[in-house]
Amino acid sequence: MPTKKRPAVTAPAEVIEQEEPGDELPGLRFNEPLSWRAGKPIPVAELLRRLQELARELREMDQEEHDRNTFTKVAKELASQNLLAHKDKGVRAWTACSLVDILRLCAPDAPFTGVQLREIFTLFVKSILPALSDPSNAYNSQHIYVLQSLSTVKSIVLLADIPQSENLILDLFTSFFDITSGSTKSSTGEQLGKNVEHEMAAILVALVDESTSLPSEVVDIIVAQFLRADPRISSGTSTGGKSKKNGAVSVPDERQSTLLMKELPPAYNMAKDICNSCPEKMTRYVSQYFNDVIMDASNSTVADGAGKRPSHRRASNDHADSDDEDEMPSGPSDDDLKELHKAHRLLRELWRAAPPVLQNVIPQLQAELSAENVQLRLLAVETLGDIVSGIGAAGPPASPVMDPSTFPTASLSETPDTLTTNNLLTTPLSPQPFSQAHPTAYANFLGRKMDKSAIIRSAWTTAIGRILMTSAGGIGLSAHEEETLVTYLAQMLVDGDEKVRSVAIKAVANFGFRDVINKLGLIGGVSKQGSVLANLADRARDRKHGVRVEGMKTLARIWGVAAGEIAAGNETVSSILGAAPSRLYDAFYANDMDIFVLLDHVSFELLLPLGFPPAKSRASKVTNGDSQRVKDSQTNGDPGSESVDADKIRTARILHLVKDLDPKAKKAFFAMQGRQGNISKIMTAFLKRCEEYNGGVMDENEAEIKSHLTKLIEWFSKTLPDPVKVSADLWKFAKMHDRRSYQLVRYSMAPESDYRTVQKAIRELTKRIESAPGNPVGLLETLTPLLYRTSLLIYNKSHVPAIVDFSRTDENGLAATAHEILKEISTQTPEVFKAHVQELCKVLEEQAPSQVKPNEPGAVDTLKACAGFAQKFPKDIPRERKFLQSLTNFALFGTPPAAAKHAVTIIMAAAEKKEMYAKDLVQKCISNFAFGSEHFLARLATLSQLRLLAPKEVNEESEAVTDIAIEQILVQVRTPACAEPQPEWEDDVDDECKAKVWALKILVNELRSSEPDSNQNIQASVYQLLDRLILEEGELSKKKDTPASHKALLRLTAARLYLKLCVKKSYDELLTSASFNNLATVAQDSHYPIRLNFVTQLKKYLGQNKLSHRFYAIVFLLAFEPAGDLREDTLTWIRARSQFFALRKNTSMETLFARLLSLLAHHPDYSNTTEDLADFTKYILFYLNPVANAENLGLIYHVAQRVKQTQDAIDPDMSENLYHLSDLAQAVIRRYEEIHGWSMQTWPGKIGLPNGLFAKLPSHTVAQEIAEKLWLPTEVADRMDELVRIKTKTKKRKSDVHNDTQTKKKSKPSTTTTTKPTPKQKSLPIRKSTKPTKTPKSKKKTQELDPLPSSERRRSGRAAGQRKTYVEKADEEDDEDMQMWDQDQPNDSSEAISEASQAVSEEEIETKPAKTGTKKTNGHNEGKGNKKATSQASAVKDKKNNDNEENNNIEDGDEDEELSDPPDSD
């Protein structure tokens, strides 16, 4: 090649400078030949010189100033093949420069024929313009000149006029897009100039604008450029044209999905400019493009595709001619779907780039919303959702990070967590509001909410979430639109399909903290029924485990992130999310072991993350790595920083969590922590047996060791889901025999381990198991919840100092909660409390009151915590005189009076000379005592506690103490009742009422501290006093002038003191059956606080086995309880106790039915009328629902029959009541059996009845007459189907539904009884009447605490529950409830622990051996029932012997109490 001899590229510029301006000639001066004869070519160098000279002259010439005819010769020579097809690049480049100038000067009439124009533009398109891809080319300036000329003069439009120029146009578009996309790069890697990109875009815009039509392939190429916004699409299919011809389809490359782009690709911008510059034409082209793709794919459901024109956009589909398609329509083929997906991705990006071009496409997309094919509808819903959200082909932006363990926590005052990222392509962008531009399509899109397909509803839900997150692509939503969409999202959370609910939860999980508050909280928070967050909280009780997992974790994560704002006192955040932990812990009552495990994970991974706060937070950079360097305290930050204390931060979070829990959830939370002590004992025994097992290699006692280890593993397996898997995993752990793992578990359980130690132990153990040889799959999944349950993560020694500090300073209003947790720690894990009890005692010394100085309000809680600790570890309480003197001051001057009570408890437990202190306190309390004197309530409280703990010292002044209690306090009425209406209940009563309560405790504690034989006169008087208070409704004054609020509290106090007395068996025996029946009516008192407090204490004592089993009969009187929460909680509790007894083969709950019938026979509302008997059916059903099952129904029926064989021992004249109720119970049981489809078996044995309630009949003849007579009125018998069905159909377990379907065929349900009472119905009170008449007396309406009048509390007090969707767990399914009322006795080992630890030596776990072991019971307790009965929710404490003494017949002369003996009193 002679290129090295050619002149420099800059030569033309030098010639131009030497040319003189001005030319008088009318035409072109250049007159040298540019053509030659064949075989005699012009040398290249000479040819280049001539072409440069010509180009120089033409460049200087202006249009309209020269004779165009002079260009004819030169134009002809330039258009010759010798120059156009010359092999030298320079020749072609300079020729092109001259040609574009000829076109410029001769415009609009080019001096070329059509053939010549074709050849000229072939040169431009295939040689000159593609060379622009290499900016380092020697002739790049000439190439750019040609480009600029074609763009400026718009000579390019001539290409559209050339016949059959489609291929040239296609090549031009392909070249330009390839150049701008970098598909053809220079060897030097030099970037293309922005001016070149601009000129290219201008040329293409001009060509599109002037062309009457564009080749379809060109449209393909233009729209394909928008897929460049998707980094996952491989570059090989960038232009789309060639790949389509070859049938190739774009393949996502997931490795490219994380690449970031700071600006849009040039090819993308070029296509965008074309669409926006020529909207009308591009609208037509784009519409035709998508019509071919979308409609052709939709038409693939046609049998053989007849009448469908072939599309160049889709690969051949020869298999569409199958015989099957001739008979019935089919969905789009795989190739069709691939093309559809690609087309819909293009739609997303086209909306972001050029919305006007989709004017005709959106209706097509709208038509897809109504397509029969699910895949087409799915594509349409997804695409429209992303279009509205401004999400392009690159996909949605990454969700904001929601990490509950970060510190400092998220704040609303910080930079908003918008969805704008560094990646421009994933930043949501919508140029205009879709809802306004296309209202019909938007309305149809919203209508997909009711689509019959769950797949479509799921995609629609995801789309709604994205629209809300992105604020419709940044355009924004009106208040109405946003509220509507949020409401729709809330509704999808309760959709009937689990997949939709799961997707809705994931949609909520994608929201950032600010959006959760400002958007999802728009229609209410967790407490607002029907809101997004409330429905999300309901998913914690969802029937599907997968949905429960997603729901609980999402809600917990949101609260964990919001915890900082809640702690800071942000009212908005607190009102929206404050109730979230309560809803989570309420799921505990579902009694599902999957939920128990889930709660463990949620608690210590999201609500209170194990690693919170991180060792190195973003608030303070730790450089020396010793941010957690103190042995018993974890700090966070720089060594000298006092503002960041990790232990205090974590403690504050715990306190805020507990503070916001409702009472029910708080019981669940404390129960979860309270189990740590018991489970840790089992774990300790398990670890010891693992060491003895030695990985399966034992020298001696092999059978015994395996047996003990098997029992322990069986116990653990019953506390977790999938017992088989748990058992296998624990055997793997034992066979691994990793002694370091054993020690790590012990570290996590040890009371002396600080939080840092526990945290590191759990993490190291996790890593060891993950890296263990053989990688035991599933072992970590089993061990993790056990670690959470056994580790001291909440009640940790590192937290106690911070809790004490909060209790003293009341920082952020956490003092009350801190005191509450201190009390729990002192009772549940007193070993943790030991290290800090000295500090608490010093606090008490500082806060001690005096005659003139009151103590701080929080001191009473500190005293209560120390009192609980002192009773268990009296030797660890300081005995310095100063401290004891401070306690004495609390006993004499403490406020409230409970402070004095707890101070006395500590003195009596810890003081060495407790007798001296007791005598001194008694003397000071009775000396110059006068009602109303200063601190007189503290004195009464001190005397009350001394009566219980130091009876000998008080007895020396017994007369004075009794005189104070009775004469000066109880019989006096200093605040007489007023004529004006008074509140019947007050939460804060006056000092007189408080004094009377303490006076009653003084009298009762005298009995509790002694045996009945030693004080028969006193006990008779006290019992008579308590009876009178209950019978007279709290009235003691002969003038009947006691204020109503005083009477209510005194009545409650009398009932509760009766329960305390009956804890001791000797005093329980003194409670006559008549008095017991009177006591039972308190459960139906007209005041809700009285009922609530009495029933709560009753269940607490029964759960702790402090009371005899006859007290269980009282709880069944809550059948007409109007407060739904109390009634349902009690029903759940009864069910749990029934399961507990059934597991141990104890028939106490079944034989209790006789006591219930006796109690109902003496009920003040009872009469033998038809209406009352029908009404009392509800009591019987309230008993059967939680107690009866297919196995024990025969025994219950036998008990009902047995009652009819006796007479009433309390009042023989009322025996007929028993016979009526016996027949009623038998009829109800038989109908109950039919409804449930059970087959009742005849009870083969004999049972005895308590002779205190039932007596022998005088003769066989009388017994025969009673047995043969039908006591149940015919009217009641005829209504039995209606009564039993109405009472049982309100709430039903799904497992029983199939049983009812058969019954429904047998009898028709009544439609009138449920809406109208019978005309003769009368309102009956819930409390007994003191008059002998059976006519019930009217009662006043309960004050604001009761929603219903007292007259409705027995008959129609059942409030209509709110309707729930079937996806939620009904409360009736809460088969067993963790005995929250058991927590006051933390040292009592549960029966389950006793069973599991029988393989452990007595020095390891001191517990009473279980009677039943771990053997499964038969019948309904096998399988799932047995598993549930041993779960945490039913592992209640029970030390009673299973003697079944009630099986003795009444003829044997048994005493009234037929059940097993209660344990000794406390």
Side-chain angles (χ1 to χ4, degrees):
M1 294 292 294
T3 54
K4 294 183 179 180
K5 298 180 181 179
R6 297 171 188 166
V9 178
T10 57
E14 297 174 357
V15 174
I16 292 174
E17 292 177 0
Q18 295 174 359
E19 183 178 359
E20 296 180 0
D23 192 354
E24 298 178 358
L25 295 177
L28 182 67
R29 293 179 297 177
F30 181 81
N31 196 24
E32 296 186 60
L34 296 176
S35 60
W36 59 87
R37 294 179 182 179
K40 294 184 179 181
I42 301 174
V44 174
E46 178 60 24
L47 185 58
L48 284 173
R49 184 193 64 78
R50 294 177 186 179
L51 289 172
Q52 291 175 10
E53 182 179 350
L54 174 61
R56 183 168 58 247
E57 182 178 356
L58 291 174
R59 187 175 303 180
E60 296 295 329
M61 299 176 70
D62 295 326
Q63 196 176 19
E64 305 294 341
E65 295 182 2
H66 297 83
D67 185 5
R68 296 184 181 182
N69 295 327
T70 60
F71 301 139
T72 304
K73 179 183 177 183
V74 173
K76 182 179 180 181
E77 291 179 334
L78 288 174
S80 66
Q81 284 296 316
N82 290 336
L83 294 179
L84 295 178
H86 200 284
K87 61 182 180 179
D88 187 80
K89 296 179 181 179
V91 172
R92 294 198 302 271
W94 286 107
T95 300
C97 290
S98 299
L99 285 171
V100 294
D101 282 332
I102 294 293
L103 293 174
R104 173 177 62 85
L105 295 172
C106 297
D109 300 323
F112 302 107
T113 63
V115 176
Q116 289 175 332
L117 281 176
R118 175 186 296 277
E119 298 299 330
I120 290 171
F121 277 98
T122 299
L123 170 66
F124 293 161
V125 172
K126 294 190 175 182
S127 178
I128 303 302
L129 297 179
L132 289 168
S133 62
D134 185 8
S136 63
N137 190 292
Y139 299 99
N140 188 60
S141 59
Q142 283 72 35
H143 300 158
I144 294 178
Y145 180 78
V146 173
L147 177 71
Q148 291 174 340
S149 179
L150 291 175
S151 172
T152 304
V153 183
K154 296 186 182 296
S155 305
I156 192 67
V157 299
L158 294 173
L159 180 60
D161 297 332
I162 299 174
Q164 299 179 353
S165 59
E166 290 82 0
N167 290 336
L168 286 177
I169 294 176
L170 176 61
D171 290 341
L172 177 65
F173 275 84
T174 302
S175 296
F176 278 9
F177 283 119
D178 283 345
I179 291 170
T180 54
S181 66
S183 298
T184 54
K185 296 181 180 179
S186 65
S187 58
T188 60
E190 186 176 348
Q191 295 293 326
L192 199 65
K194 291 293 182 183
N195 62 323
V196 175
E197 296 175 4
H198 175 73
E199 300 296 346
M200 286 182 177
I203 288 175
L204 297 185
V205 168
L207 189 58
V208 172
D209 191 42
E210 294 295 332
S211 300
T212 57
S213 64
L214 285 178
S216 58
E217 292 85 351
V218 172
V219 179
D220 290 352
I221 294 174
I222 294 174
V223 297
Q225 305 312 309
F226 293 101
L227 281 180
R228 297 184 185 278
D230 189 351
R232 298 168 298 176
I233 302 301
S234 58
S235 60
T237 58
S238 59
T239 59
K242 294 181 179 179
S243 64
K244 282 181 174 292
K245 291 179 180 179
N246 298 330
V249 181
S250 300
V251 179
D253 186 357
E254 296 297 337
R255 294 173 297 178
Q256 306 298 318
S257 61
T258 58
L259 297 180
L260 300 181
M261 290 189 182
K262 296 183 178 180
E263 60 182 12
L264 293 170
Y268 179 99
N269 287 328
M270 188 183 299
K272 179 179 177 181
D273 290 341
I274 294 172
C275 291
N276 288 322
S277 300
C278 310
E280 295 182 0
K281 289 194 174 183
M282 288 306 301
T283 296
R284 185 174 72 252
Y285 297 144
V286 171
S287 175
Q288 185 62 40
Y289 173 86
F290 285 103
N291 182 70
D292 290 342
V293 177
I294 297 175
M295 298 307 295
D296 287 356
S298 301
N299 292 336
S300 65
T301 57
V302 179
D304 57 355
K308 182 175 63 173
R309 67 183 181 89
S311 172
H312 63 279
R313 292 180 178 81
R314 294 165 44 228
S316 60
N317 192 14
D318 298 336
H319 63 275
D321 296 330
S322 65
D323 295 338
D324 293 339
E325 290 191 359
D326 291 338
E327 309 209 352
M328 60 183 298
S330 62
S333 65
D334 291 341
D335 290 340
D336 289 330
L337 285 176
K338 290 176 182 179
E339 285 296 328
L340 281 171
H341 279 287
K342 178 180 176 181
H344 285 75
R345 286 200 307 274
L346 288 172
L347 282 177
R348 292 170 169 87
E349 201 59 44
L350 276 171
W351 176 262
R352 286 162 53 92
V357 303
L358 297 181
Q359 191 67 32
N360 297 334
V361 179
I362 298 300
Q364 299 177 26
L365 198 58
Q366 177 183 339
E368 278 190 330
L369 290 173
S370 303
E372 287 295 327
N373 186 271
V374 175
Q375 293 171 320
L376 295 179
R377 293 206 313 277
L378 177 63
L379 273 175
V381 169
E382 292 175 340
T383 303
L384 278 175
D386 284 349
I387 287 176
V388 178
S389 303
I391 296 174
S399 301
V401 177
M402 297 278 283
D403 186 359
S405 64
T406 57
F407 182 81
T409 53
S411 172
L412 292 178
S413 60
E414 294 180 353
T415 304
D417 47 14
T418 60
L419 295 174
T420 303
T421 64
N422 293 328
N423 192 344
L424 182 64
L425 300 181
T426 58
T427 300
L429 174 64
S430 182
Q432 55 183 320
F434 184 87
S435 59
Q436 297 178 14
H438 304 279
T440 304
Y442 184 69
N444 289 341
F445 165 73
L446 294 182
R448 288 303 93 196
K449 169 179 174 289
M450 304 301 294
D451 197 287
K452 61 183 180 181
S453 171
I455 298 175
I456 304 301
R457 296 199 305 275
S458 298
W460 185 89
T461 303
T462 301
I464 291 300
R466 290 178 176 178
I467 294 172
L468 287 169
M469 278 192 301
T470 63
S471 295
I475 289 293
L477 295 166
S478 67
H480 175 70
E481 284 179 323
E482 191 168 43
E483 183 176 351
T484 300
L485 294 181
V486 173
T487 302
Y488 287 165
L489 183 58
Q491 293 171 358
M492 304 315 288
L493 283 165
V494 292
D495 189 88
D497 191 277
E498 63 174 299
K499 296 178 182 177
V500 180
R501 299 196 301 273
S502 180
V503 168
I505 294 171
K506 293 176 182 177
V508 174
N510 287 331
F511 281 78
F513 173 50
R514 293 177 63 88
D515 286 343
V516 169
I517 301 301
N518 298 329
K519 295 179 181 178
L520 299 186
L522 187 66
I523 61 174
V526 176
S527 302
K528 175 73 175 296
Q529 186 173 6
S531 68
V532 171
L533 296 172
N535 290 346
L536 176 64
D538 288 339
R539 303 284 60 76
R541 301 286 291 274
D542 199 282
R543 292 185 178 276
K544 300 297 182 180
H545 179 63
V547 180
R548 287 199 304 264
V549 172
E550 294 289 342
M552 293 182 70
K553 287 186 175 181
T554 299
L555 185 61
R557 181 176 290 106
I558 292 173
W559 185 92
V561 173
E565 283 293 290
I566 294 175
N570 189 311
E571 292 296 333
T572 301
V573 179
S574 297
S575 63
I576 292 175
L577 295 172
S582 294
R583 298 297 301 276
L584 291 171
Y585 284 108
D586 280 347
F588 185 85
Y589 294 89
N591 194 53
D592 186 294
M593 278 185 280
D594 285 312
I595 291 183
F596 291 150
V597 173
L598 187 55
L599 273 175
D600 292 328
H601 287 283
V602 162
S603 297
F604 300 113
E605 294 171 9
L606 297 172
L607 294 176
L608 303 169
L610 188 65
F612 176 81
K616 294 184 180 181
S617 68
R618 55 188 174 93
S620 57
K621 296 181 180 179
V622 181
T623 57
N624 60 353
D626 60 352
S627 63
Q628 296 175 326
R629 62 194 183 281
V630 182
K631 178 180 179 181
D632 292 337
S633 177
Q634 181 183 4
T635 59
N636 190 352
D638 297 329
S641 175
E642 297 180 358
S643 61
V644 181
D645 182 351
D647 290 328
K648 185 174 183 180
I649 292 169
R650 191 184 313 106
T651 302
R653 186 160 181 167
I654 295 172
L655 293 176
H656 279 291
L657 173 70
V658 176
K659 179 183 178 182
D660 291 337
L661 294 176
D662 59 35
K664 186 177 180 181
K666 190 177 292 185
K667 289 178 181 178
F669 178 83
F670 286 145
M672 290 177 64
Q673 314 314 318
R675 68 192 173 186
Q676 188 275 336
N678 290 332
I679 300 180
S680 63
K681 293 178 182 178
I682 306 299
M683 181 60 74
T684 301
F686 173 70
L687 295 178
K688 182 175 181 180
R689 295 306 180 192
C690 285
E691 290 175 334
E692 294 175 353
Y693 184 67
N694 195 30
V697 181
M698 293 156 282
D699 296 333
E700 55 185 8
N701 300 327
E702 180 176 351
E704 180 183 356
I705 293 173
K706 285 185 177 180
S707 174
H708 291 170
L709 188 57
T710 300
K711 292 178 180 179
L712 290 167
I713 290 177
E714 284 181 357
W715 188 90
F716 279 122
S717 65
K718 293 176 183 178
T719 64
L720 296 174
D722 196 355
V724 175
K725 176 182 178 300
V726 173
S727 178
D729 289 340
L730 292 180
W731 277 112
K732 289 180 186 176
F733 181 75
K735 292 176 181 178
M736 285 171 57
H737 194 52
D738 184 2
R739 295 186 178 274
R740 176 60 178 171
S741 296
Y742 301 157
Q743 189 59 38
L744 290 173
V745 176
R746 291 189 176 101
Y747 283 148
S748 67
M749 299 187 299
E752 59 272 12
S753 296
D754 59 15
Y755 187 86
R756 181 64 170 165
T757 302
V758 176
Q759 179 190 25
K760 291 174 66 178
I762 293 176
R763 288 183 173 175
E764 183 182 344
L765 179 61
T766 300
K767 292 180 180 178
R768 290 185 69 87
I769 293 176
E770 289 176 342
S771 60
N775 190 14
V777 180
L779 177 55
L780 190 60
E781 181 182 349
T782 298
L783 282 182
T784 299
L786 293 179
L787 283 173
Y788 287 153
R789 296 176 188 182
T790 58
S791 302
L792 285 168
L793 294 170
I794 304 296
Y795 298 163
N796 189 274
K797 62 180 293 186
S798 297
H799 298 158
V800 175
I803 296 175
V804 173
D805 186 56
F806 279 110
S807 68
R808 295 177 60 184
T809 62
D810 195 22
E811 182 180 345
N812 297 327
L814 296 174
T817 307
H819 284 298
E820 192 172 7
I821 293 185
L822 279 177
K823 184 251 183 184
E824 289 292 325
I825 294 176
S826 67
T827 55
Q828 301 290 357
T829 54
E831 298 84 359
V832 174
F833 204 71
K834 282 183 181 180
H836 306 281
V837 70
Q838 300 287 341
E839 182 179 353
L840 280 179
C841 293
K842 290 180 180 179
V843 172
L844 291 176
E845 288 182 14
E846 297 173 0
Q847 297 179 348
S850 64
Q851 186 73 30
V852 295
K853 170 193 168 186
N855 57 272
E856 294 185 8
V860 62
D861 296 306
T862 306
L863 284 166
K864 186 175 183 180
C866 289
F869 179 82
Q871 289 178 314
K872 296 178 177 62
F873 301 96
K875 295 181 179 180
D876 293 320
I877 295 292
R879 300 184 180 183
E880 292 83 359
R881 186 168 176 230
K882 181 180 179 181
F883 174 65
L884 293 175
Q885 183 58 45
S886 299
L887 293 177
T888 302
N889 288 347
F890 273 111
L892 296 175
F893 313 119
T895 53
K901 168 189 171 182
H902 298 314
V904 172
T905 301
I906 299 173
I907 293 174
M908 292 298 101
E912 294 180 349
K913 299 180 180 179
K914 58 186 69 176
E915 296 82 3
M916 179 191 72
Y917 283 101
K919 289 180 180 180
D920 182 59
L921 286 174
V922 171
Q923 291 297 326
K924 290 181 178 180
C925 287
I926 65 176
S927 177
N928 300 323
F929 179 88
F931 179 87
S933 61
E934 197 169 6
H935 307 298
F936 79 103
L937 289 177
R939 295 187 185 186
L940 288 174
T942 298
L943 288 175
S944 170
Q945 197 68 358
L946 287 173
R947 269 289 197 190
L948 182 65
L949 302 178
K952 181 178 178 181
E953 287 72 20
V954 179
N955 286 339
E956 295 178 2
E957 301 291 343
S958 179
E959 293 184 4
V961 173
T962 303
D963 179 75
I964 290 174
I966 298 177
E967 300 299 332
Q968 297 189 43
I969 304 295
L970 284 175
V971 300
Q972 301 293 328
V973 179
R974 296 176 174 83
T975 310
C978 301
E980 300 178 358
Q982 299 177 345
E984 296 186 2
W985 177 266
E986 293 180 350
D987 292 330
D988 188 14
V989 294
D990 56 25
D991 287 349
E992 180 184 3
C993 187
K994 293 177 183 178
K996 289 184 177 181
V997 170
W998 286 111
L1000 284 174
K1001 291 181 179 180
I1002 290 174
L1003 299 177
V1004 171
N1005 283 347
E1006 183 177 3
L1007 297 184
R1008 294 175 64 198
S1009 62
S1010 59
E1011 294 297 330
D1013 296 339
S1014 61
N1015 53 11
Q1016 294 183 2
N1017 294 333
I1018 297 176
Q1019 64 89 10
S1021 300
V1022 172
Y1023 271 58
Q1024 183 180 2
L1025 174 64
L1026 297 178
D1027 276 339
R1028 182 179 176 183
L1029 284 171
I1030 295 175
L1031 288 171
E1032 299 293 335
E1033 299 185 355
E1035 183 64 80
L1036 285 178
S1037 174
K1038 295 180 180 180
K1039 298 180 180 180
K1040 308 294 182 182
D1041 56 354
T1042 303
S1045 60
H1046 289 199
K1047 292 193 295 183
L1049 183 57
L1050 291 176
R1051 186 164 65 252
L1052 172 61
T1053 303
R1056 297 181 67 175
L1057 291 176
Y1058 246 145
L1059 296 180
K1060 286 182 177 291
L1061 279 174
C1062 291
V1063 164
K1064 184 175 288 189
K1065 181 181 178 181
S1066 55
Y1067 286 115
D1068 182 27
E1069 294 172 349
L1070 296 177
L1071 181 64
T1072 64
S1073 298
S1075 297
F1076 178 86
N1077 292 341
N1078 294 333
L1079 176 64
T1081 60
V1082 179
Q1084 293 182 314
D1085 194 274
S1086 59
H1087 299 96
Y1088 174 71
I1090 294 179
R1091 302 195 305 272
L1092 176 63
N1093 283 277
F1094 174 72
V1095 172
T1096 299
Q1097 182 164 338
L1098 176 63
K1099 292 189 294 186
K1100 170 184 173 181
Y1101 284 175
L1102 286 172
Q1104 296 171 350
N1105 290 296
K1106 290 184 176 181
L1107 295 173
S1108 61
H1109 289 185
R1110 64 168 169 166
F1111 283 89
Y1112 278 99
I1114 298 178
V1115 297
F1116 293 103
L1117 295 184
L1118 269 68
F1120 288 93
E1121 172 58 47
D1125 289 343
L1126 177 58
R1127 184 180 64 254
E1128 297 302 328
D1129 287 348
T1130 301
L1131 197 63
T1132 300
W1133 180 85
I1134 295 172
R1135 185 176 291 111
R1137 297 303 296 169
S1138 299
Q1139 293 280 354
F1140 177 78
F1141 285 121
L1143 179 65
R1144 288 150 182 80
K1145 298 182 180 180
N1146 190 321
T1147 58
S1148 298
M1149 295 299 286
E1150 290 82 359
T1151 56
L1152 181 73
F1153 191 49
R1155 287 191 173 276
L1156 176 59
L1157 293 179
S1158 174
L1159 182 60
L1160 295 177
H1162 291 270
H1163 195 282
D1165 295 340
Y1166 178 81
S1167 69
N1168 293 328
T1169 62
T1170 301
E1171 291 80 4
D1172 279 352
L1173 285 173
D1175 218 26
F1176 269 58
T1177 303
K1178 187 168 184 178
Y1179 287 115
I1180 299 173
L1181 288 172
F1182 191 76
Y1183 167 84
L1184 292 176
N1185 283 333
V1187 176
N1189 53 60
E1191 284 73 26
N1192 67 359
L1193 192 63
L1195 174 56
I1196 297 173
Y1197 187 79
H1198 181 68
V1199 171
Q1201 290 179 317
R1202 188 76 175 84
V1203 168
K1204 198 174 178 181
Q1205 301 169 10
T1206 63
Q1207 64 178 347
D1208 197 317
I1210 302 174
D1211 185 357
D1213 294 337
M1214 300 182 70
S1215 296
E1216 290 189 2
N1217 293 358
L1218 286 176
Y1219 307 149
H1220 281 89
L1221 287 172
S1222 175
D1223 279 358
L1224 176 65
Q1226 293 177 55
V1228 170
I1229 293 172
R1230 287 193 297 269
R1231 187 69 193 106
Y1232 193 82
E1233 174 196 22
E1234 294 176 5
I1235 288 178
H1236 288 81
W1238 295 339
S1239 179
M1240 185 167 55
Q1241 301 296 323
T1242 302
W1243 186 254
K1246 294 183 179 180
I1247 63 166
L1249 302 179
N1251 62 1
L1253 301 178
F1254 305 96
K1256 296 182 194 177
L1257 292 171
S1259 65
H1260 178 73
T1261 303
V1262 174
Q1264 189 70 19
E1265 292 176 356
I1266 295 173
E1268 292 176 353
K1269 182 177 179 179
L1270 182 61
W1271 297 87
L1272 185 66
T1274 306
E1275 295 83 355
V1276 178
D1278 292 342
R1279 294 176 55 193
M1280 190 55 58
D1281 288 353
E1282 165 194 325
L1283 292 172
V1284 176
R1285 182 176 295 277
I1286 290 175
K1287 299 298 190 300
T1288 57
K1289 75 177 183 178
T1290 54
K1291 282 187 177 181
K1292 194 171 302 176
R1293 301 181 61 176
K1294 278 199 166 185
S1295 59
D1296 296 333
V1297 171
H1298 69 282
N1299 294 331
D1300 286 344
T1301 56
Q1302 298 177 355
T1303 308
K1304 289 180 180 178
K1305 297 178 182 179
K1306 298 179 182 179
S1307 60
K1308 297 180 179 180
S1310 173
T1311 58
T1312 58
T1313 310
T1314 56
T1315 56
K1316 285 186 179 181
T1318 56
K1320 294 184 179 180
Q1321 276 186 336
K1322 59 182 182 292
S1323 298
L1324 298 177
I1326 64 161
R1327 298 186 60 240
K1328 78 177 190 65
S1329 171
T1330 56
K1331 299 178 181 180
T1333 177
K1334 299 297 180 182
T1335 303
K1337 61 181 180 179
S1338 61
K1339 294 290 179 184
K1340 297 180 182 179
K1341 284 188 176 182
T1342 309
Q1343 296 298 320
E1344 299 174 334
L1345 295 169
D1346 269 323
L1348 298 175
S1350 60
S1351 60
E1352 297 295 314
R1353 199 157 288 109
R1354 179 178 71 79
R1355 182 181 296 279
S1356 58
R1358 180 175 60 84
Q1362 294 179 346
R1363 187 177 181 183
K1364 295 187 178 181
T1365 61
Y1366 75 91
V1367 298
E1368 299 178 12
K1369 272 185 178 289
D1371 291 339
E1372 298 292 325
E1373 291 195 350
D1374 302 343
D1375 290 335
E1376 299 146 11
D1377 177 14
M1378 178 68 178
Q1379 304 307 315
M1380 302 305 174
W1381 304 274
D1382 297 353
Q1383 299 306 315
D1384 286 355
Q1385 291 290 324
N1387 283 344
D1388 278 350
S1389 298
S1390 68
E1391 192 72 23
I1393 293 175
S1394 179
E1395 294 175 6
S1397 59
Q1398 59 184 309
V1400 187
S1401 58
E1402 294 183 358
E1403 64 270 19
E1404 293 170 341
I1405 302 179
E1406 296 181 4
T1407 184
K1408 193 173 182 178
K1411 295 278 185 182
T1412 58
T1414 58
K1415 181 180 179 181
K1416 291 186 178 180
T1417 59
N1418 295 325
H1420 70 288
N1421 286 320
E1422 291 183 356
K1424 183 177 181 181
N1426 189 37
K1427 179 179 71 173
K1428 284 192 172 183
T1430 57
S1431 66
Q1432 297 97 314
S1434 61
V1436 292
K1437 303 174 177 72
D1438 186 3
K1439 288 186 177 180
K1440 292 200 140 208
N1441 295 327
N1442 184 16
D1443 294 333
N1444 288 331
E1445 293 180 9
E1446 70 275 15
N1447 289 337
N1448 298 322
N1449 294 326
I1450 57 175
E1451 291 84 355
D1452 296 337
D1454 294 342
E1455 296 184 359
D1456 179 71
E1457 179 54 58
E1458 80 284 11
L1459 301 179
S1460 58
D1461 296 339
D1464 294 337
S1465 64
D1466 57 352

